[in-house]
Amino acid sequence: MTDRGVRDLGWDDSLYETRPQHEADAARTGPPAPGAPDGGRAQRAAGTRRRRGRRALRWTAVVLALLILGTAGAGYAYYQHLSHNIRKGKRNSGASNVHKTPTNALNILLLGSDSRNTDANLKLGGAKYTRGDKPRADVIMLVHVSADRSNMSVVSIPRDTRVPIPKCTDPKTGETFPATTHAIINESLTHGGPGCTLATVQNLTGVYIDHWMMIDFAGVVKMADAVGGVEVCVRQNVWDHPTPDQPGGSGLKLKAGRQKIYGKTALQWLRTRHAFESDLGRAEAQHMYMNSMVRELRSQNVFTDSGRLRNLAEAATKALQVSEEIGTPKKLYDLGMELKSVPSKRITMLTMPPATDPENDQHYIPDAVNAPRVWAKLVHDVPFDDNGAKKPPKKPAESGPPARPAADIPVAVVNGTAGDSTGTPVNGRAGVVAGLLAGQGFTGAVKAAEAQPSATTAIAYPAAQGAQARSDALAVAKALKLPVGLVKESSHVASVTLVVGADWREGTAYAGGADPDAKLPDSAGALNGSDKSTCMPVYAPYRWQ
């Protein structure tokens, strides 16, 4: 968005952060509209955007917050009020060597905390003795928006997944938590806040995460009511209540069929696990809810009701906690504009393919074959759906300059095998693969001294060296029979760099688990954003007559 467009909406941080009210007013030109605190420009700008605005709102309460902020600008005082509502925290508070790729893809970590540290949250569930406890991450979702903003993927990571949690430091207290290799991922939030969970997910997936956003129980209720309810569906009557075999439960009680849910019932829906049989069922129900919210918002003409817009903006800014680099209304607005062009049919909701934890059958670990396929698609910005415009066939690799002789291509081989659910490296793995390359004539292949945990194998070449470096990297891929899709340019490497990921821990032949062009596994439970037919089955013990 241009600087002028930002000023016209009254959302210019430089104006609001450095200039008093009377100077900001004086900077505007033209006679003010009667009763318009910003000279009427926000109303006129909103009017010109109304048709686009109806398409702008997208899938979840968190993203709704971003986009509402962009339409509710009403001058300095209101901007400052919304700014005061927003709570901020450090983006990353844990050890992670994952670097941002040179593409323009956008990755956001969405967290739902189980905090009961306020009266409002205690009223929604939980014992009083839990007040003061550090919250855990009940919901963990990684949102990937493609570099061209044509498609979006949302990957849920079950809260009971066992993963390594890196060394983290709580930015509020300065307390340091040592790294652990056998922990449940939702505990990462207690080790240093959302920034520790971000580092944990980065290490697990190999995906650089630009921002995080977090919402608690009370925030979900506020947002559900502000939206006006969301339609869900259950196949049988459901009551998620305590049973002789299973204590607890969300309290969700609904009759079979399609119906709108609001407030506390929406929270119960998003938290229900037992009646939907498992964490995987809960993730499926959450995906249904988010997709349904997209359709609900698109059916509403919210941009013509300024009062409702303000109510939505109030609810959104009070409900959210965000990483500090996006912690102003203007920056949240800009982020929302990054998301507005993605149509429902190009949104895919899915779950990390799981395997049963051998140490506890109530927990999960990432499926060693299928999870890397999901991470590879995110890392390489490959869409999960087939609804995009058909692209012309890729040019053959030979269309660029020929690769240099193998002996003249320096290759750094990095051990990334610690990037799996155990966090345990295969010692000497980089040396083994460097030896394989040497056997193919790449005598300049050497193992790197520093490891870089990565869920997926990848080959990076220096962006500054252009087509020649790409041809050299493709020659390395061909020698090891690696998929061409694993080859990407990077501004962080000085020579062709092969990271041997956790998907290639043994053997001389690559199994292909991280091929970004591989088919999405059925265990991911992918749901397209335009699918209106889904209806949750209810586990038999939680059905009622």
Side-chain angles (χ1 to χ4, degrees), residues 27-42:
R28 303 185 183 97
T29 59
D38 64 351
R41 280 180 168 76

Side-chain angles (χ1 to χ4, degrees), residues 58-131:
R58 294 294 184 263
W59 55 235
T60 182
V62 177
V63 175
L64 166 66
L66 307 181
L67 300 178
I68 287 168
L69 289 170
T71 63
Y76 175 83
Y78 193 62
Y79 182 94
Q80 290 294 84
H81 170 71
L82 292 181
S83 296
H84 180 74
N85 285 348
I86 300 171
R87 294 165 294 156
K88 295 170 281 190
K90 190 173 182 180
R91 188 193 75 85
N92 183 8
S93 57
S96 178
N97 291 320
V98 178
H99 299 291
K100 186 172 178 61
T101 63
T103 71
N104 194 37
L106 178 66
N107 298 296
I108 305 170
L109 184 67
L110 303 185
L111 301 175
S113 84
D114 67 356
S115 173
R116 295 178 174 89
N117 293 332
T118 66
D119 291 339
N121 280 316
L122 276 175
K123 289 179 181 178
L124 295 170
K128 291 183 178 180
Y129 65 80
T130 63
R131 186 161 189 162

Side-chain angles (χ1 to χ4, degrees), residues 78-393:
Y78 193 62
Y79 182 94
Q80 290 294 84
H81 170 71
L82 292 181
S83 296
H84 180 74
N85 285 348
I86 300 171
R87 294 165 294 156
K88 295 170 281 190
K90 190 173 182 180
R91 188 193 75 85
N92 183 8
S93 57
S96 178
N97 291 320
V98 178
H99 299 291
K100 186 172 178 61
T101 63
T103 71
N104 194 37
L106 178 66
N107 298 296
I108 305 170
L109 184 67
L110 303 185
L111 301 175
S113 84
D114 67 356
S115 173
R116 295 178 174 89
N117 293 332
T118 66
D119 291 339
N121 280 316
L122 276 175
K123 289 179 181 178
L124 295 170
K128 291 183 178 180
Y129 65 80
T130 63
R131 186 161 189 162
D133 290 353
K134 290 183 178 181
R136 295 166 298 179
D138 247 15
V139 177
I140 302 172
M141 294 182 177
L142 179 55
V143 179
H144 173 83
V145 188
S146 65
D148 62 5
R149 304 302 186 257
S150 68
N151 63 88
M152 182 189 300
S153 308
V154 182
V155 183
S156 292
I157 301 174
R159 68 170 190 175
D160 290 331
T161 302
R162 180 169 58 83
V163 297
I165 297 177
K167 178 181 178 182
C168 293
T169 301
D170 189 321
K172 293 182 179 179
T173 66
E175 182 180 4
T176 297
F177 298 83
T180 176
T181 58
H182 292 77
I184 301 305
I185 194 168
N186 72 342
E187 297 174 8
S188 60
L189 195 60
T190 71
H191 287 211
C196 184
T197 304
L198 180 143
T200 301
V201 176
Q202 277 195 167
N203 294 344
L204 172 68
T205 64
V207 176
Y208 180 89
I209 301 172
D210 299 276
H211 317 295
W212 57 258
M213 296 182 174
M214 185 165 68
I215 190 168
D216 60 16
F217 291 162
V220 170
V221 171
K222 290 176 183 176
M223 290 305 302
D225 286 341
V227 170
V230 175
E231 185 180 81
V232 297
C233 181
V234 286
R235 295 182 189 174
Q236 300 88 16
N237 295 344
V238 58
W239 184 18
D240 192 51
H241 64 291
T243 68
D245 297 326
Q246 183 64 64
S250 71
L252 178 71
K253 191 171 186 179
L254 296 173
K255 291 185 177 181
R258 296 191 176 276
Q259 57 217 280
K260 270 193 175 184
I261 56 175
Y262 304 81
K264 185 176 180 179
T265 305
L267 174 64
Q268 291 171 333
W269 176 273
L270 295 170
R271 295 187 63 215
T272 293
R273 176 175 53 162
H274 301 145
F276 296 147
E277 198 161 0
S278 67
D279 259 345
L280 304 183
R282 175 163 65 175
E284 184 181 349
Q286 290 168 352
H287 296 162
M288 177 197 293
Y289 181 94
M290 293 164 71
N291 282 335
S292 182
M293 183 177 285
V294 176
R295 297 189 292 270
E296 177 65 28
L297 290 169
R298 284 178 169 172
S299 69
Q300 301 174 8
N301 195 8
V302 296
F303 286 84
T304 62
D305 187 341
S306 60
R308 183 158 180 238
L309 280 174
R310 289 201 176 207
N311 290 339
L312 288 166
E314 285 289 330
T317 53
K318 288 179 179 178
L320 284 175
Q321 185 176 354
V322 302
S323 49
E324 58 192 1
E325 75 286 348
I326 53 170
T328 71
K330 189 263 179 181
K331 290 175 182 176
L332 287 173
Y333 169 80
D334 288 344
L335 181 57
M337 292 302 99
E338 292 289 299
L339 308 176
K340 74 174 186 177
S341 62
V342 183
S344 292
K345 69 177 183 178
R346 299 302 314 277
I347 298 173
T348 305
M349 306 275 178
L350 62 150
T351 301
M352 175 202 78
T356 300
D357 183 353
E359 298 182 7
N360 185 331
D361 62 9
Q362 299 300 306
H363 295 162
Y364 302 104
I365 58 174
D367 184 293
V369 174
N370 289 319
R373 292 179 181 174
V374 171
W375 311 145
K377 286 181 179 291
L378 298 178
V379 170
H380 297 283
D381 197 22
V382 176
F384 286 83
D385 69 287
D386 296 322
N387 296 326
K390 301 303 179 184
K391 296 181 179 180

Side-chain angles (χ1 to χ4, degrees), residues 313-536:
E314 285 289 330
T317 53
K318 288 179 179 178
L320 284 175
Q321 185 176 354
V322 302
S323 49
E324 58 192 1
E325 75 286 348
I326 53 170
T328 71
K330 189 263 179 181
K331 290 175 182 176
L332 287 173
Y333 169 80
D334 288 344
L335 181 57
M337 292 302 99
E338 292 289 299
L339 308 176
K340 74 174 186 177
S341 62
V342 183
S344 292
K345 69 177 183 178
R346 299 302 314 277
I347 298 173
T348 305
M349 306 275 178
L350 62 150
T351 301
M352 175 202 78
T356 300
D357 183 353
E359 298 182 7
N360 185 331
D361 62 9
Q362 299 300 306
H363 295 162
Y364 302 104
I365 58 174
D367 184 293
V369 174
N370 289 319
R373 292 179 181 174
V374 171
W375 311 145
K377 286 181 179 291
L378 298 178
V379 170
H380 297 283
D381 197 22
V382 176
F384 286 83
D385 69 287
D386 296 322
N387 296 326
K390 301 303 179 184
K391 296 181 179 180
K394 295 179 180 179
K395 294 181 179 180
E398 292 76 11
S399 62
R404 292 179 293 169
D408 295 338
I409 301 175
V411 183
V413 184
V414 180
N415 189 345
T417 54
D420 67 355
S421 61
T422 68
T424 305
V426 177
N427 293 328
R429 186 61 179 156
V432 170
V433 177
L436 293 176
L437 282 171
Q440 295 288 329
F442 291 86
T443 54
V446 296
K447 63 179 182 179
E450 185 176 350
Q452 181 182 320
S454 175
T456 63
T457 295
I459 302 176
Y461 63 89
Q465 296 179 22
Q468 182 61 65
R470 175 170 172 78
S471 294
D472 293 347
L474 289 170
V476 172
K478 183 177 181 180
L480 295 176
K481 298 182 179 179
L482 298 177
V484 172
L486 300 183
V487 176
K488 295 290 181 181
E489 71 174 11
S490 172
S491 58
H492 301 291
V493 298
S495 66
V496 174
T497 301
L498 167 61
V499 178
V500 184
D503 57 341
W504 195 16
R505 293 174 61 88
E506 60 185 7
T508 58
Y510 178 67
D515 182 355
D517 295 322
K519 182 182 177 182
L520 188 64
D522 292 340
S523 57
L527 177 65
N528 187 269
S530 62
D531 188 348
K532 301 179 182 179
S533 65
T534 55
C535 200
M536 289 300 300

